[in-house]
């Protein structure tokens, strides 16, 4: 009926329909080439209306879109939009929160009232106060502050709220792990493709210009690969954290098909960590597994993990196994105390420390070398590369800010670990909680070594993942039923398969004689 009405309208007003369609295409082109203009906004409204209708009809549509957009937002082969890179993520997150508020009955807001929300509000509250920080005597710049604060604080709060509100059942939880795993496997495939078939034109242009000094090392004999991520450090640390989570999921799940998939993702990401040449990644992998030794509550798991961990460290520190591979040699240099790169970082931090003694609130959120004039006392501080997320926070929010940030992270991690250890009874669900906590530990160590903690796609995945730990006790009863149903089907398939095998076996000739006796 609707198609007939549209066809009739198109026949009667064909010229108008065609002109409107051309204007709509022109608006999309203008949006892609020149950014938001009044004309583009007006003409592109039908697309937003369609998206809103789709969101109301299929509530998880925007959430899965967010997961995919977040993962590929820094993929160098994607077309560049004339808007901030973080804006698509932020718009999708805010849309999800608005939809959740409109439809209060479908979302359990009581789950959000937990310690993680409290810790995040402390950090966001402090970053809000930073708008009044005028250490550099430049006046209050609300625009620069907001640009920095949304990446440093508000995106953590968005990730927490979106994940805990929308992943509210065991089925959605497993679906999310499969989406996360498939996206990670694509990143693994892409780094393999970069190694064996080379870079695309866009990737090659970046690595030969902006990325040359950090990604082409040892006179061009060692290339640090970055896959779909912004850079190799970001890629390596996230692969290590993902490997930690999925390997723990694999060894604790009872469902066979889940175990195979989780193990594939975990091993694939552990392998992909090495082409990144990110030395911090290997420490992140080890830190995640060390954390699991304490969260496992099982000697059967803790002892093998400890043995494997000790052997792995021993191989890297005291042997030359794998030294023919440049990536492994670079990873091994992480244990070298005389490494030149580590020395340069320590020297930079010593310089920062002298300046920050007079700036306990830091130079201010959103303040950088482009804001601070040459004759300013803190010009030198604004130009020193932080090389680490924790150092970046220290640089911009001072000793007060970094202290509040560390306390906030410890509170949310400590309470999540408490939930895993004492509040979740199901072993497999406890394994999911432990995997998410250990990935968070791994990522925090990565943030100490590299500036990756607030990067895409790490921030949404890691902080959103930790928020799920707080939701697990609410879905435990439903999880046990969900798991029992799948295990029952799994056993039934196994029984049918064994019966078929038994029927296919050829009975010995003497069994026929017994039949007639």
């Amino acid at each position: 009926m609707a198609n007939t009405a549209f066809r009739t309208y198109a026949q009667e007003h064909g010229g108008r329909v065609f002109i409107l369609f051309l204007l709509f295409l022109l608006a999309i082109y203008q949006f892609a080439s020149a950014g938001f203009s009044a004309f583009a906004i007006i003409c592109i409204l039908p697309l937003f209306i369609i998206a809103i209708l789709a969101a109301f009809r299929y509530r998880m549509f925007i959430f899965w879109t967010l997961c995919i957009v977040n993962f590929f937002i820094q993929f160098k082969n994607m077309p560049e939009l004339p808007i901030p890179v973080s804006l698509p993520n932020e718009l999708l997150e805010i849309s999800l929160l608005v939809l959740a508020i409109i439809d209060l009955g479908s979302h359990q807001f009581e789950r959000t009232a937990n310690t993680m929300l409290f810790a995040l509000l402390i950090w966001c509250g402090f970053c809000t106060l930073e708008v009044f920080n005028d250490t550099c005597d430049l006046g209050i710049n609300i625009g620069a502050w907001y640009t920095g604060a949304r990446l440093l604080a508000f995106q953590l709060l968005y990730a927490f709220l979106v994940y805990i509100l929308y992943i509210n059942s065991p089925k959605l939880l497993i679906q999310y792990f499969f989406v996360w795993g498939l996206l990670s496997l694509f990143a693994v495939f892409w780094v393999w493709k970069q190694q064996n078939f080379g870079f695309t034109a866009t990737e090659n242009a970046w690595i030969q210009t902006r990325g040359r000094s950090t990604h082409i090392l040892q006179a061009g004999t060692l290339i640090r690969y970055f896959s779909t991520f912004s850079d190799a450090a970001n890629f390596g640390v996230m692969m290590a954290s993902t490997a930690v989570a999925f390997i723990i999921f694999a060894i604790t799940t009872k469902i066979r098909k889940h175990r195979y998939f989780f193990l594939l993702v975990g091993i694939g990401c552990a392998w992909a960590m090495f082409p990144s040449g990110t030395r911090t990644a290997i420490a992140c992998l080890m830190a995640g597994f060390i954390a699991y030794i304490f969260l496992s509550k099982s000697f059967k798991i803790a002892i093998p993990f400890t043995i494997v961990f000790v052997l792995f460290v021993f191989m890297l520190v005291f042997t030359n196994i794998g030294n023919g591979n440049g990536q492994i040699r670079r990873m091994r240099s992480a244990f070298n105390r005389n490494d030149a790169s580590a020395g340069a970082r320590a020297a930079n931090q010593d310089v920062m420390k002298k300046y920050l003694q007079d700036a306990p609130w830091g130079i201010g959120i959103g303040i950088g070398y482009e804001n601070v004039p040459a004759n300013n006392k803190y010009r030198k501080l604004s130009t020193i590369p932080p090389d680490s997320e924790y150092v970046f926070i220290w640089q911009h929010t001072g000793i007060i800010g970094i202290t509040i940030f560390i306390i906030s992270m410890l509170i949310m991690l400590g309470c999540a670990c408490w939930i895993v250890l004492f509040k979740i009874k199901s072993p497999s669900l406890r394994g999911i909680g432990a995997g998410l906590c250990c990935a968070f530990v791994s990522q925090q160590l990565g943030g100490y070594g590299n500036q990756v903690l607030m990067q895409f796609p790490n921030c949404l995945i890691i902080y959103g993942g930790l928020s799920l730990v707080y939701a697990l006790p609410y879905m435990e009863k439903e999880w046990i039923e969900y798991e029992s149903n799948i295990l029952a089907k799994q056993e039934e398939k196994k029984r049918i398969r064994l019966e078929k095998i038994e029927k296919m076996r050829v009975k010995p000739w003497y069994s026929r004689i017994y039949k007639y006796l």
Side-chain angles (χ1 to χ4, degrees), residues 138-153:
L138 301 175
I140 296 175
N141 187 337
I142 295 177
W145 164 80
Y146 182 69
T147 300
R150 32 191 281 269
L151 297 175
L152 203 59

Side-chain angles (χ1 to χ4, degrees), residues 163-354:
Y163 271 62
I164 203 168
L165 289 173
Y166 280 85
I167 303 181
N168 52 18
S169 70
K171 185 178 179 181
L172 285 173
L173 182 67
I174 294 300
Q175 285 178 354
Y176 169 68
F177 289 154
F178 271 79
V179 170
W180 178 12
L182 289 171
L183 291 171
S184 299
L185 285 177
F186 181 83
V188 173
F189 159 75
W190 199 258
V191 79
W192 173 84
K193 178 261 176 194
Q194 287 178 336
Q195 277 189 304
N196 293 278
F197 296 96
F199 297 107
T200 64
T202 308
E203 292 168 345
N204 192 58
W206 179 84
I207 202 171
Q208 295 294 342
T209 52
R210 289 180 58 193
R212 186 173 185 85
S213 61
T214 54
H215 288 68
I216 302 178
L217 308 176
Q218 299 176 9
T221 59
L222 175 64
I223 296 176
R224 298 177 63 201
Y225 296 92
F226 47 87
S227 187
T228 60
F229 287 61
S230 60
D231 57 77
N234 192 17
F235 171 62
V237 171
M238 190 59 200
M239 287 296 101
S241 301
T242 304
V244 167
F246 277 84
I247 289 173
I248 293 172
F249 296 162
I251 64 177
T252 55
T253 185
K254 298 177 182 178
I255 302 170
R256 191 180 299 111
K257 61 182 180 181
H258 293 175
R259 181 182 298 119
Y260 294 152
F261 177 75
F262 293 157
L263 200 58
L264 174 64
V265 175
I267 293 173
C269 290
W271 169 83
M273 177 186 75
F274 286 93
S276 74
T278 304
R279 293 169 295 186
T280 307
I282 200 163
C284 295
L285 187 74
M286 293 188 295
F289 287 135
I290 290 172
Y292 183 61
I293 291 173
F294 292 99
L295 290 176
S296 64
K297 295 176 65 175
S298 169
F299 285 105
K300 292 181 180 179
I301 294 174
I303 292 173
F305 259 78
T306 304
I307 293 172
V308 171
F309 166 72
V310 170
L311 289 175
F312 184 65
V313 174
F314 181 85
M315 181 197 77
L316 286 174
V317 178
F318 300 105
T319 73
N320 292 320
I321 296 174
N323 239 26
N325 185 293
Q327 307 289 356
I328 295 178
R329 284 198 307 274
R330 179 167 172 78
M331 292 288 186
R332 185 168 275 131
S333 69
F335 300 95
N336 181 7
R337 295 182 180 180
N338 299 318
D339 181 66
S341 177
R345 292 188 180 194
N348 285 340
Q349 291 174 24
D350 287 339
V351 174
M352 288 184 190
K353 191 173 183 180
K354 293 176 183 177

Side-chain angles (χ1 to χ4, degrees), residues 82-103:
I83 55 176
V85 174
S86 61
L87 191 59
N89 251 37
E90 194 170 3
L91 288 175
L92 288 168
E93 289 166 342
I94 292 172
S95 300
L96 286 166
L97 295 178
V98 169
L99 286 172
I101 292 170
I102 291 172
D103 188 18

Side-chain angles (χ1 to χ4, degrees), residues 36 73 83-94 120 123-128 130-131 141-160 364-367 389 392 397 453-456 459-460 463:
F36 289 102
I73 203 167
I83 55 176
V85 174
S86 61
L87 191 59
N89 251 37
E90 194 170 3
L91 288 175
L92 288 168
E93 289 166 342
I94 292 172
L120 285 173
W123 174 238
C124 290
F126 171 80
C127 288
T128 301
E130 274 283 322
V131 70
N141 187 337
I142 295 177
W145 164 80
Y146 182 69
T147 300
R150 32 191 281 269
L151 297 175
L152 203 59
F154 299 146
Q155 69 164 332
L156 308 185
L157 186 61
Y158 295 154
F160 163 79
I365 294 176
I367 301 298
E389 202 74 62
F392 178 83
T397 64
L453 202 56
M454 307 300 177
Q455 289 278 5
F456 301 99
C459 182
L460 183 74
Y463 283 91

